[in-house]
Amino acid sequence: MQAQTDYVLRTVEERGVRFVRLWFTDVLGFLKSFEITPAEIDVALEEGMTFDGSAIEGYSRVQESDMLLMPDAGTFEIVPWHDEEAPTARIFCDVHHVSTEPFDGDPRFVLKRNLERARERGFTFYAGPEMEFFYFRSSSEPDPLDHAGFFDLTQMDTVSNLRKNTILALEAMGIPVEYSHHELGPSQHEIDLRYTDALAMADNVMTFRHVVRKVAQDLGVHATFMPKPIAGDFGSGMHTHLSLFEGDVNAFHDPGDEYGLSKVGKCFIAGLLTHAREITAVTNQWVNSYKRLSVRYEAPVYVCWARNNRSALVRVPVHKKGKESSTRIEFRSPDPACNPYLAFSVILAAGLKGVEEGYDLAPEATNNIFELTPEERAAEGITELPQSLGEAIDVMEESELVAEALGEHLFGYFIRNKRDEWAEYRAQVTPWEIERYLGSL
């Protein structure tokens, strides 16, 4: 840690950094920040910086508002879009009480606590998300920049520059990119991040969303991670590839198994499937999230697993010959507007539960589940994910697993906040209702 601190101090001085932005995340996954000058960075790294926690959604109450941001020196990066005369850096922070005790409502602390639980069992948890999003001409309506489709090579300079400049900015901040391409929907794109340990990846997802929006804004367009911005078209997901390692060994791989999956890997999948409905409110936390989880648009709806079958909730990609270390599973329900710290926390908790309890893995779904009748799905024991935020919150509220993974403070706040959102949504009269009913009822 001292070496990282020394690196930060040396870089600030040698690169002439004028401002350091302290980044942290509220309960719902919105990025928060304030700036300090180089004169304060030494104190910040050693003692932290106080701030008003009562101003942050889901944090402290007014009567106990003073809180402490403790910068994580290992996350220091120069932001690539800075003013050359005033270089700027960012650093992720942990949220503490002024007593220096970690704050239970800090999503980054929640993920650290769950990762520590995995480490106590000898596991390191890795994640690699496929980030989907849309570009629109403005933030006021979903007006696409193009009408290309999956893997199409567009000729529009703006679209080409958007993805190119985004990837260059990500790499300049130490975030490797594996793939990028046009997605299925009009003006919908995907950038896949190379896997890292889950804490670094949650930080990367927060940085990614900021970079995508910043690059788009600089080119005069709007980028959105709204799960389903266009009715009747495809929504955006955050399919996430997952693995557990024991040291340098992939704990999901077994070369003698017909699927190449170890007992740990099978139990982890079984845990995800068993608790999938309970964790959906966290992995898909907005009213709009449930407009995406529809059978008509290739998003997962049914709780089952398969290898090459993309209609399943959990998929086991076939790894290349000789690449056993790449054995992984793909969890397909999260959307890119989730809080990644909380999403990775409940995903890990569900998978670990399966490993600890030795859950049995149901048979692989080999049919197109979307084409099965409800009776056929019931006969195979295939259930549905929650179909609304209200249903997801009802299921989550009864979950001991999610309550333990999030902790009392965050679990209670999340339930209250989402119940308020659902109640407000239910009180709306939508344009669809006016068009369908006003003239005839």
Side-chain angles (χ1 to χ4, degrees):
M1 180 60 75
Q2 186 56 49
Q4 293 172 333
T5 299
D6 292 344
Y7 168 78
V8 172
L9 297 175
R10 188 169 63 251
T11 304
V12 167
E13 181 178 356
E14 292 177 353
R15 299 285 295 274
V17 172
R18 292 290 297 118
F19 300 100
V20 178
R21 291 178 180 158
L22 306 185
W23 282 11
F24 60 108
T25 307
D26 73 8
V27 171
L28 299 180
F30 290 104
L31 190 61
K32 302 293 180 180
S33 172
F34 63 86
E35 294 174 342
I36 60 174
T37 63
E40 300 296 326
I41 187 64
D42 197 1
V43 172
L45 288 167
E46 185 172 345
E47 302 174 4
M49 299 295 291
T50 55
F51 72 106
D52 179 3
S54 67
I56 304 301
E57 189 73 28
Y59 274 29
S60 60
R61 297 173 295 183
V62 172
Q63 65 270 29
E64 50 190 28
S65 59
D66 285 341
M67 305 194 79
L68 202 59
L69 277 187
M70 295 298 300
D72 180 342
T75 67
F76 177 87
E77 292 287 349
I78 303 286
V79 297
W81 53 83
H82 62 75
D83 178 349
E84 291 185 358
E85 295 183 357
T88 300
R90 75 98 164 92
I91 190 167
F92 278 98
C93 300
D94 296 312
V95 183
H96 288 205
H97 297 286
V98 287
S99 64
T100 72
E101 291 294 315
F103 171 49
D104 289 341
D106 175 17
R108 202 166 189 267
F109 171 70
V110 169
L111 179 55
K112 281 186 168 183
R113 182 165 49 74
N114 282 280
L115 293 174
E116 180 57 30
R117 186 173 159 224
R119 266 192 290 272
E120 289 171 355
R121 288 153 179 78
F123 296 126
T124 302
F125 182 45
Y126 288 89
E130 302 173 354
M131 303 295 294
E132 296 176 350
F133 55 95
F134 284 84
Y135 291 122
F136 295 127
R137 297 187 190 283
S138 73
S139 60
S140 59
E141 60 179 316
D143 183 8
L145 303 185
D146 67 67
H147 291 275
F150 196 59
F151 276 12
D152 280 352
L153 180 61
T154 60
Q155 302 302 319
M156 292 180 60
D157 288 343
T158 301
V159 175
S160 175
N161 286 337
L162 280 166
R163 285 221 313 266
K164 180 184 71 177
N165 291 351
T166 300
I167 292 168
L168 291 176
L170 290 169
E171 291 182 342
M173 297 187 73
I175 301 176
V177 169
E178 197 167 17
Y179 294 102
S180 76
H181 57 84
H182 199 287
E183 253 297 335
L184 285 161
S187 212
Q188 186 185 28
H189 296 261
E190 175 176 319
I191 297 178
D192 300 351
L193 305 183
R194 183 166 290 282
Y195 77 96
T196 67
D197 69 90
L199 180 63
M201 185 53 72
D203 291 342
N204 287 351
V205 169
M206 296 302 300
T207 303
F208 177 89
R209 296 196 298 217
H210 185 69
V211 168
V212 168
R213 292 187 181 111
K214 169 65 177 169
V215 171
Q217 183 182 39
D218 287 350
L219 288 175
V221 300
H222 177 68
T224 181
F225 295 92
M226 182 178 177
K228 183 82 167 184
I230 303 176
D233 221 314
F234 296 93
S236 290
M238 188 181 81
H239 306 160
T240 302
H241 296 252
L242 310 167
S243 58
L244 289 179
F245 270 67
E246 293 178 288
D248 295 330
V249 178
N250 187 336
F252 281 2
H253 181 64
D254 180 352
D257 181 76
E258 60 178 318
Y259 304 132
L261 274 176
S262 68
K263 174 71 173 173
V264 169
K266 292 177 181 177
C267 290
F268 194 94
I269 296 172
L272 273 179
L273 298 180
T274 300
H275 299 285
R277 285 174 51 80
E278 300 166 47
I279 68 176
T280 299
V282 179
T283 55
N284 304 77
Q285 65 168 327
W286 307 101
V287 163
N288 182 256
S289 298
Y290 297 84
K291 305 292 176 67
R292 166 184 167 251
L293 297 179
S294 164
V295 295
R296 296 178 58 191
Y297 299 102
E298 299 189 6
V301 175
Y302 302 113
V303 180
C304 58
W305 77 281
R307 283 173 289 177
N308 286 323
N309 188 344
R310 280 180 162 77
S311 63
L313 174 63
V314 176
R315 195 173 72 87
V316 181
V318 178
H319 62 71
K320 297 176 185 174
K321 188 176 181 180
K323 295 284 187 179
E324 290 78 8
S325 63
S326 68
T327 298
R328 63 198 187 279
I329 65 173
E330 179 187 353
F331 190 49
R332 296 173 58 80
S333 65
D335 66 48
C338 68
N339 182 333
Y341 300 100
L342 303 187
F344 293 163
S345 292
V346 296
I347 289 170
L348 176 59
L352 274 186
K353 188 73 170 177
V355 174
E356 292 166 351
E357 302 292 330
Y359 287 178
D360 290 326
L361 182 60
E364 177 185 11
T366 54
N367 299 322
N368 184 340
I369 304 109
F370 297 152
E371 295 177 349
L372 298 180
T373 66
E375 293 76 18
E376 289 171 332
R377 286 193 294 273
E380 295 191 20
I382 297 174
T383 57
E384 287 185 357
L385 291 177
Q387 290 300 289
S388 71
L389 181 62
E391 181 186 356
I393 291 296
D394 288 343
V395 177
M396 173 181 164
E397 194 165 25
E398 300 299 319
S399 173
E400 293 182 9
L401 178 131
V402 178
E404 182 180 359
L406 299 188
E408 181 180 354
H409 175 100
L410 211 148
F411 182 77
Y413 175 82
F414 193 93
I415 293 283
R416 291 192 300 276
N417 180 281
K418 291 300 161 185
R419 285 221 179 279
D420 288 346
E421 180 182 343
W422 180 239
E424 186 176 343
Y425 172 72
R426 291 184 64 196
Q428 300 301 309
V429 178
T430 66
W432 183 89
E433 291 167 279
I434 295 295
E435 182 179 348
R436 188 176 182 93
Y437 299 130
L438 188 61
S440 59
L441 299 183

